[in-house]
Amino acid sequence: MARELTAAQRRVIGAAEPVTGRLRGSAAVLDRLVKLGFAFRHPRPPHDCFLTPAGQRARTAPPEPPASEETGLAPRPAADGVFAARTGEESEPPADPAARAREVRAAWQGLLELRRMTRADGDTARPCAWERAHLVRAAALALEAAGHVPGLAGRGGYVVRESPQPEAVEVRVAEPAGTEAGADRELALCAGALEAAGWQVSEHGDRRGRRVVIASPPRR
């Protein structure tokens, strides 16, 4: 099915909002993507189009070989610009911090829009189904969007991981090698950021006496 996509359709898919998958393009292109099964229209006004699972796969599929020089058309690499939340276990910092900050803001606004669009009451204060299905990524995005710094090997920052508790994540704060000052304060700030984003949080001590936050979306 992916071979049926035109260059214009691929550009629209490649430019989909990172978190929500919302599409922007001409009516003709969007209608065609819906007919092909790469997109669907939301039943509520303004009836925006969003990627289906097939559309998500098409966005991350390797690009097809460029067209001939005579046409001057080459499909845009679909994986370019795909946003990934930083969980604090990455080995390298962002190549462009300013660009990263813009991406995080856009992704967070997209997530709030997804909350609004997928709740009958339009409430954006509570996590949505996507967040429940992607707990680590959702919590990491909430923290980075609130201005907290993701961890980096040997340089401190927060780390988000799956929790042994069901439907929850574990958040720790690591200080740079050789110092532990401020870790508890930063962890408390991370807990506050998640709570403000609609998560339920609680602090605990692990077996080594270090503090850890357990966070989960409320069931309501």
Side-chain angles (χ1 to χ4, degrees), residues 84-127:
R86 293 183 70 89
T87 65
E89 298 193 286
E90 293 77 18
S91 58
E92 296 292 334
D96 186 338
R100 176 65 187 181
R102 291 192 296 270
E103 292 172 356
V104 170
R105 284 195 297 270
W108 178 246
Q109 290 303 313
L111 182 55
L112 293 180
E113 178 66 6
L114 184 60
R115 289 182 178 184
R116 184 186 74 80
M117 293 289 291
T118 56
R119 288 192 177 278
D121 58 2
D123 185 12
T124 62
R126 294 174 291 162

Side-chain angles (χ1 to χ4, degrees), residues 5-86:
L5 289 170
T6 66
Q9 292 163 355
R10 285 188 176 278
R11 284 195 293 271
V12 170
I13 288 177
E17 290 184 359
V19 173
T20 66
R22 183 166 61 175
L23 299 168
R24 298 184 184 277
S26 69
V29 169
L30 295 177
D31 286 344
R32 184 59 179 164
L33 289 174
V34 170
K35 290 179 181 178
L36 291 173
F38 290 103
F40 70 93
R41 287 194 180 278
H42 198 280
R44 293 178 57 199
H47 305 296
D48 287 334
C49 285
F50 295 82
L51 290 176
T52 62
Q56 295 283 4
R57 290 193 295 271
R59 179 168 64 170
T60 58
E64 295 178 358
S68 66
E69 294 181 358
E70 295 180 0
T71 65
L73 297 176
R76 177 181 175 181
D80 281 358
V82 175
F83 179 85
R86 293 183 70 89

